[in-house]
Amino acid sequence: MVDEVILLDYWPSMFGVRTRIALEEKNIKFDYIEQDLCNKSALLLEMNPVHKKIPVLIHNGKPVCESLIQVEYIDETWPRENPILPSDPYQRAQARFWGSFIDKMLPGLGKLMWGVKGEEQEAGKKEFVEMLKMLESELGDRTYFGGETFGYVDIALIGFYGWFDAFEKYGNFSIEAECPKIIAWAKRCVKRDSVAKSLPDSEKVTELVPELKKKKRVG
């Protein structure tokens, strides 16, 4: 039986990037269906009736929701090529911890990107930079978070890289000045075909932000 794999996604999504990279790492062919988040498709609503959000991975008609869960599902379903999670239980638990930690950067980013100017934005920027510095400390001098092997934590974080230019522009700061090792790590990741194919164009993301801000105000 040939696997039918479909991804419901939105091109600038830092979460959808995770799933795209995982599929590319495993050399899994998939159909990509772009979603209009202001006019959600019947398929999206059917496949994710609880949260009604992208990305949704559909494997042989069955939906899997939430990007990090999708990454684990992909790794377990197609285990032979390019393992994503470590085989050691402790290292696997640590990888999951840092994946969860990365998702906790979202409140700070929300204040940085969508909050009002002034103290709220500065607080969001400070929170984001502090968390990046903790990730930088965890990375240390390794090539990837898993050592010499590109894996779960790298996939969890690299989706944010396509948004770094926008964060810098609207937050008026330099991520490279604050966290140079994170930028060096990201540049290494982008040399991988799976990442280069999957990341959104940072200029297009930055150009999109005013439109997204407007939609948030209207919403």
PDB file of all heavy atoms in Angstrom, residues 112-134:
ATOM      1  N   LEU A 112       6.163  40.986  21.677  1.00  0.00           N
ATOM      2  CA  LEU A 112       7.146  41.638  20.813  1.00  0.00           C
ATOM      3  C   LEU A 112       6.533  42.043  19.484  1.00  0.00           C
ATOM      4  O   LEU A 112       6.747  43.158  18.994  1.00  0.00           O
ATOM      5  CB  LEU A 112       8.328  40.681  20.574  1.00  0.00           C
ATOM      6  CG  LEU A 112       9.355  41.088  19.515  1.00  0.00           C
ATOM      7  CD1 LEU A 112      10.066  42.371  19.915  1.00  0.00           C
ATOM      8  CD2 LEU A 112      10.360  39.969  19.309  1.00  0.00           C
ATOM      9  N   MET A 113       5.756  41.142  18.885  1.00  0.00           N
ATOM     10  CA  MET A 113       5.249  41.379  17.530  1.00  0.00           C
ATOM     11  C   MET A 113       3.887  42.057  17.498  1.00  0.00           C
ATOM     12  O   MET A 113       3.625  42.902  16.655  1.00  0.00           O
ATOM     13  CB  MET A 113       5.157  40.044  16.786  1.00  0.00           C
ATOM     14  CG  MET A 113       6.503  39.405  16.494  1.00  0.00           C
ATOM     15  SD  MET A 113       7.562  40.444  15.464  1.00  0.00           S
ATOM     16  CE  MET A 113       6.636  40.440  13.935  1.00  0.00           C
ATOM     17  N   TRP A 114       2.999  41.665  18.407  1.00  0.00           N
ATOM     18  CA  TRP A 114       1.612  42.102  18.273  1.00  0.00           C
ATOM     19  C   TRP A 114       1.161  43.018  19.401  1.00  0.00           C
ATOM     20  O   TRP A 114       0.073  43.581  19.333  1.00  0.00           O
ATOM     21  CB  TRP A 114       0.682  40.867  18.230  1.00  0.00           C
ATOM     22  CG  TRP A 114       1.201  39.768  17.361  1.00  0.00           C
ATOM     23  CD1 TRP A 114       1.527  38.513  17.758  1.00  0.00           C
ATOM     24  CD2 TRP A 114       1.476  39.800  15.954  1.00  0.00           C
ATOM     25  NE1 TRP A 114       1.987  37.769  16.702  1.00  0.00           N
ATOM     26  CE2 TRP A 114       1.964  38.529  15.576  1.00  0.00           C
ATOM     27  CE3 TRP A 114       1.364  40.795  14.976  1.00  0.00           C
ATOM     28  CZ2 TRP A 114       2.330  38.219  14.273  1.00  0.00           C
ATOM     29  CZ3 TRP A 114       1.735  40.484  13.667  1.00  0.00           C
ATOM     30  CH2 TRP A 114       2.209  39.225  13.326  1.00  0.00           C
ATOM     31  N   GLY A 115       1.978  43.156  20.448  1.00  0.00           N
ATOM     32  CA  GLY A 115       1.604  44.026  21.559  1.00  0.00           C
ATOM     33  C   GLY A 115       1.757  45.490  21.208  1.00  0.00           C
ATOM     34  O   GLY A 115       2.310  45.849  20.174  1.00  0.00           O
ATOM     35  N   VAL A 116       1.267  46.335  22.087  1.00  0.00           N
ATOM     36  CA  VAL A 116       1.422  47.769  21.871  1.00  0.00           C
ATOM     37  C   VAL A 116       2.885  48.137  22.056  1.00  0.00           C
ATOM     38  O   VAL A 116       3.678  47.382  22.605  1.00  0.00           O
ATOM     39  CB  VAL A 116       0.542  48.581  22.858  1.00  0.00           C
ATOM     40  CG1 VAL A 116      -0.929  48.304  22.604  1.00  0.00           C
ATOM     41  CG2 VAL A 116       0.915  48.259  24.294  1.00  0.00           C
ATOM     42  N   LYS A 117       3.238  49.316  21.590  1.00  0.00           N
ATOM     43  CA  LYS A 117       4.618  49.781  21.739  1.00  0.00           C
ATOM     44  C   LYS A 117       4.910  50.074  23.215  1.00  0.00           C
ATOM     45  O   LYS A 117       4.009  50.163  24.034  1.00  0.00           O
ATOM     46  CB  LYS A 117       4.831  51.062  20.913  1.00  0.00           C
ATOM     47  CG  LYS A 117       4.645  50.890  19.415  1.00  0.00           C
ATOM     48  CD  LYS A 117       5.797  50.127  18.808  1.00  0.00           C
ATOM     49  CE  LYS A 117       5.668  50.020  17.305  1.00  0.00           C
ATOM     50  NZ  LYS A 117       6.761  49.244  16.699  1.00  0.00           N
ATOM     51  N   GLY A 118       6.176  50.243  23.507  1.00  0.00           N
ATOM     52  CA  GLY A 118       6.549  50.659  24.857  1.00  0.00           C
ATOM     53  C   GLY A 118       6.897  49.493  25.758  1.00  0.00           C
ATOM     54  O   GLY A 118       7.543  48.537  25.347  1.00  0.00           O
ATOM     55  N   GLU A 119       6.438  49.573  26.991  1.00  0.00           N
ATOM     56  CA  GLU A 119       6.867  48.627  28.019  1.00  0.00           C
ATOM     57  C   GLU A 119       6.493  47.189  27.688  1.00  0.00           C
ATOM     58  O   GLU A 119       7.270  46.272  27.924  1.00  0.00           O
ATOM     59  CB  GLU A 119       6.262  49.020  29.373  1.00  0.00           C
ATOM     60  CG  GLU A 119       6.864  50.294  29.963  1.00  0.00           C
ATOM     61  CD  GLU A 119       6.306  50.598  31.339  1.00  0.00           C
ATOM     62  OE1 GLU A 119       5.542  49.751  31.868  1.00  0.00           O
ATOM     63  OE2 GLU A 119       6.628  51.666  31.889  1.00  0.00           O
ATOM     64  N   GLU A 120       5.301  46.987  27.141  1.00  0.00           N
ATOM     65  CA  GLU A 120       4.852  45.623  26.835  1.00  0.00           C
ATOM     66  C   GLU A 120       5.754  44.990  25.773  1.00  0.00           C
ATOM     67  O   GLU A 120       6.159  43.832  25.886  1.00  0.00           O
ATOM     68  CB  GLU A 120       3.402  45.631  26.353  1.00  0.00           C
ATOM     69  CG  GLU A 120       2.852  44.223  26.130  1.00  0.00           C
ATOM     70  CD  GLU A 120       1.396  44.211  25.707  1.00  0.00           C
ATOM     71  OE1 GLU A 120       0.805  45.300  25.539  1.00  0.00           O
ATOM     72  OE2 GLU A 120       0.854  43.114  25.534  1.00  0.00           O
ATOM     73  N   GLN A 121       6.088  45.765  24.750  1.00  0.00           N
ATOM     74  CA  GLN A 121       6.962  45.253  23.700  1.00  0.00           C
ATOM     75  C   GLN A 121       8.371  44.988  24.241  1.00  0.00           C
ATOM     76  O   GLN A 121       8.989  43.964  23.920  1.00  0.00           O
ATOM     77  CB  GLN A 121       7.021  46.230  22.527  1.00  0.00           C
ATOM     78  CG  GLN A 121       7.768  45.651  21.327  1.00  0.00           C
ATOM     79  CD  GLN A 121       7.836  46.619  20.163  1.00  0.00           C
ATOM     80  OE1 GLN A 121       8.127  47.796  20.357  1.00  0.00           O
ATOM     81  NE2 GLN A 121       7.578  46.123  18.974  1.00  0.00           N
ATOM     82  N   GLU A 122       8.869  45.886  25.066  1.00  0.00           N
ATOM     83  CA  GLU A 122      10.202  45.699  25.646  1.00  0.00           C
ATOM     84  C   GLU A 122      10.242  44.452  26.532  1.00  0.00           C
ATOM     85  O   GLU A 122      11.221  43.713  26.549  1.00  0.00           O
ATOM     86  CB  GLU A 122      10.606  46.938  26.453  1.00  0.00           C
ATOM     87  CG  GLU A 122      11.019  48.123  25.606  1.00  0.00           C
ATOM     88  CD  GLU A 122      12.212  47.811  24.711  1.00  0.00           C
ATOM     89  OE1 GLU A 122      13.200  47.234  25.213  1.00  0.00           O
ATOM     90  OE2 GLU A 122      12.139  48.122  23.509  1.00  0.00           O
ATOM     91  N   ALA A 123       9.157  44.230  27.264  1.00  0.00           N
ATOM     92  CA  ALA A 123       9.078  43.044  28.120  1.00  0.00           C
ATOM     93  C   ALA A 123       9.088  41.773  27.273  1.00  0.00           C
ATOM     94  O   ALA A 123       9.746  40.787  27.617  1.00  0.00           O
ATOM     95  CB  ALA A 123       7.819  43.097  28.983  1.00  0.00           C
ATOM     96  N   GLY A 124       8.363  41.811  26.156  1.00  0.00           N
ATOM     97  CA  GLY A 124       8.337  40.662  25.257  1.00  0.00           C
ATOM     98  C   GLY A 124       9.696  40.391  24.654  1.00  0.00           C
ATOM     99  O   GLY A 124      10.130  39.233  24.551  1.00  0.00           O
ATOM    100  N   LYS A 125      10.391  41.449  24.257  1.00  0.00           N
ATOM    101  CA  LYS A 125      11.725  41.308  23.677  1.00  0.00           C
ATOM    102  C   LYS A 125      12.690  40.721  24.711  1.00  0.00           C
ATOM    103  O   LYS A 125      13.462  39.801  24.395  1.00  0.00           O
ATOM    104  CB  LYS A 125      12.219  42.674  23.189  1.00  0.00           C
ATOM    105  CG  LYS A 125      13.595  42.642  22.571  1.00  0.00           C
ATOM    106  CD  LYS A 125      13.904  43.931  21.802  1.00  0.00           C
ATOM    107  CE  LYS A 125      13.924  45.160  22.670  1.00  0.00           C
ATOM    108  NZ  LYS A 125      14.260  46.368  21.916  1.00  0.00           N
ATOM    109  N   LYS A 126      12.639  41.230  25.936  1.00  0.00           N
ATOM    110  CA  LYS A 126      13.523  40.739  26.989  1.00  0.00           C
ATOM    111  C   LYS A 126      13.274  39.264  27.268  1.00  0.00           C
ATOM    112  O   LYS A 126      14.223  38.467  27.397  1.00  0.00           O
ATOM    113  CB  LYS A 126      13.302  41.560  28.265  1.00  0.00           C
ATOM    114  CG  LYS A 126      14.206  41.137  29.419  1.00  0.00           C
ATOM    115  CD  LYS A 126      13.925  41.968  30.669  1.00  0.00           C
ATOM    116  CE  LYS A 126      14.798  41.504  31.831  1.00  0.00           C
ATOM    117  NZ  LYS A 126      14.470  42.227  33.084  1.00  0.00           N
ATOM    118  N   GLU A 127      12.012  38.880  27.327  1.00  0.00           N
ATOM    119  CA  GLU A 127      11.648  37.494  27.598  1.00  0.00           C
ATOM    120  C   GLU A 127      12.153  36.577  26.476  1.00  0.00           C
ATOM    121  O   GLU A 127      12.721  35.503  26.736  1.00  0.00           O
ATOM    122  CB  GLU A 127      10.123  37.394  27.714  1.00  0.00           C
ATOM    123  CG  GLU A 127       9.605  36.019  28.073  1.00  0.00           C
ATOM    124  CD  GLU A 127       8.090  36.010  28.189  1.00  0.00           C
ATOM    125  OE1 GLU A 127       7.496  37.061  28.541  1.00  0.00           O
ATOM    126  OE2 GLU A 127       7.493  34.955  27.908  1.00  0.00           O
ATOM    127  N   PHE A 128      11.979  37.003  25.225  1.00  0.00           N
ATOM    128  CA  PHE A 128      12.413  36.217  24.078  1.00  0.00           C
ATOM    129  C   PHE A 128      13.932  36.037  24.074  1.00  0.00           C
ATOM    130  O   PHE A 128      14.437  34.931  23.898  1.00  0.00           O
ATOM    131  CB  PHE A 128      11.941  36.898  22.787  1.00  0.00           C
ATOM    132  CG  PHE A 128      12.439  36.256  21.525  1.00  0.00           C
ATOM    133  CD1 PHE A 128      12.132  34.942  21.222  1.00  0.00           C
ATOM    134  CD2 PHE A 128      13.208  36.980  20.619  1.00  0.00           C
ATOM    135  CE1 PHE A 128      12.589  34.347  20.055  1.00  0.00           C
ATOM    136  CE2 PHE A 128      13.669  36.392  19.448  1.00  0.00           C
ATOM    137  CZ  PHE A 128      13.360  35.071  19.165  1.00  0.00           C
ATOM    138  N   VAL A 129      14.655  37.135  24.300  1.00  0.00           N
ATOM    139  CA  VAL A 129      16.124  37.075  24.281  1.00  0.00           C
ATOM    140  C   VAL A 129      16.639  36.197  25.419  1.00  0.00           C
ATOM    141  O   VAL A 129      17.570  35.392  25.231  1.00  0.00           O
ATOM    142  CB  VAL A 129      16.728  38.493  24.350  1.00  0.00           C
ATOM    143  CG1 VAL A 129      18.232  38.435  24.608  1.00  0.00           C
ATOM    144  CG2 VAL A 129      16.445  39.256  23.060  1.00  0.00           C
ATOM    145  N   GLU A 130      16.044  36.309  26.595  1.00  0.00           N
ATOM    146  CA  GLU A 130      16.480  35.485  27.725  1.00  0.00           C
ATOM    147  C   GLU A 130      16.313  33.995  27.423  1.00  0.00           C
ATOM    148  O   GLU A 130      17.173  33.171  27.761  1.00  0.00           O
ATOM    149  CB  GLU A 130      15.695  35.865  28.986  1.00  0.00           C
ATOM    150  CG  GLU A 130      16.145  37.189  29.607  1.00  0.00           C
ATOM    151  CD  GLU A 130      15.305  37.590  30.803  1.00  0.00           C
ATOM    152  OE1 GLU A 130      14.277  36.911  31.067  1.00  0.00           O
ATOM    153  OE2 GLU A 130      15.654  38.582  31.475  1.00  0.00           O
ATOM    154  N   MET A 131      15.200  33.639  26.762  1.00  0.00           N
ATOM    155  CA  MET A 131      14.960  32.239  26.438  1.00  0.00           C
ATOM    156  C   MET A 131      15.915  31.767  25.340  1.00  0.00           C
ATOM    157  O   MET A 131      16.404  30.633  25.372  1.00  0.00           O
ATOM    158  CB  MET A 131      13.501  32.035  26.046  1.00  0.00           C
ATOM    159  CG  MET A 131      12.535  32.296  27.189  1.00  0.00           C
ATOM    160  SD  MET A 131      10.808  31.919  26.809  1.00  0.00           S
ATOM    161  CE  MET A 131      10.765  30.150  27.087  1.00  0.00           C
ATOM    162  N   LEU A 132      16.210  32.646  24.377  1.00  0.00           N
ATOM    163  CA  LEU A 132      17.193  32.296  23.349  1.00  0.00           C
ATOM    164  C   LEU A 132      18.569  32.067  23.959  1.00  0.00           C
ATOM    165  O   LEU A 132      19.304  31.161  23.548  1.00  0.00           O
ATOM    166  CB  LEU A 132      17.279  33.399  22.288  1.00  0.00           C
ATOM    167  CG  LEU A 132      16.357  33.336  21.076  1.00  0.00           C
ATOM    168  CD1 LEU A 132      16.732  34.433  20.080  1.00  0.00           C
ATOM    169  CD2 LEU A 132      16.397  31.979  20.380  1.00  0.00           C
ATOM    170  N   LYS A 133      18.914  32.881  24.945  1.00  0.00           N
ATOM    171  CA  LYS A 133      20.210  32.727  25.607  1.00  0.00           C
ATOM    172  C   LYS A 133      20.285  31.387  26.355  1.00  0.00           C
ATOM    173  O   LYS A 133      21.342  30.749  26.402  1.00  0.00           O
ATOM    174  CB  LYS A 133      20.454  33.891  26.571  1.00  0.00           C
ATOM    175  CG  LYS A 133      20.838  35.203  25.869  1.00  0.00           C
ATOM    176  CD  LYS A 133      21.121  36.302  26.864  1.00  0.00           C
ATOM    177  CE  LYS A 133      21.485  37.612  26.189  1.00  0.00           C
ATOM    178  NZ  LYS A 133      22.765  37.550  25.458  1.00  0.00           N
ATOM    179  N   MET A 134      19.170  30.959  26.924  1.00  0.00           N
ATOM    180  CA  MET A 134      19.147  29.658  27.583  1.00  0.00           C
ATOM    181  C   MET A 134      19.337  28.541  26.560  1.00  0.00           C
ATOM    182  O   MET A 134      20.052  27.556  26.811  1.00  0.00           O
ATOM    183  CB  MET A 134      17.834  29.481  28.356  1.00  0.00           C
ATOM    184  CG  MET A 134      17.717  30.404  29.559  1.00  0.00           C
ATOM    185  SD  MET A 134      16.230  30.102  30.532  1.00  0.00           S
ATOM    186  CE  MET A 134      16.678  28.588  31.371  1.00  0.00           C
TER     187      MET A 134
END
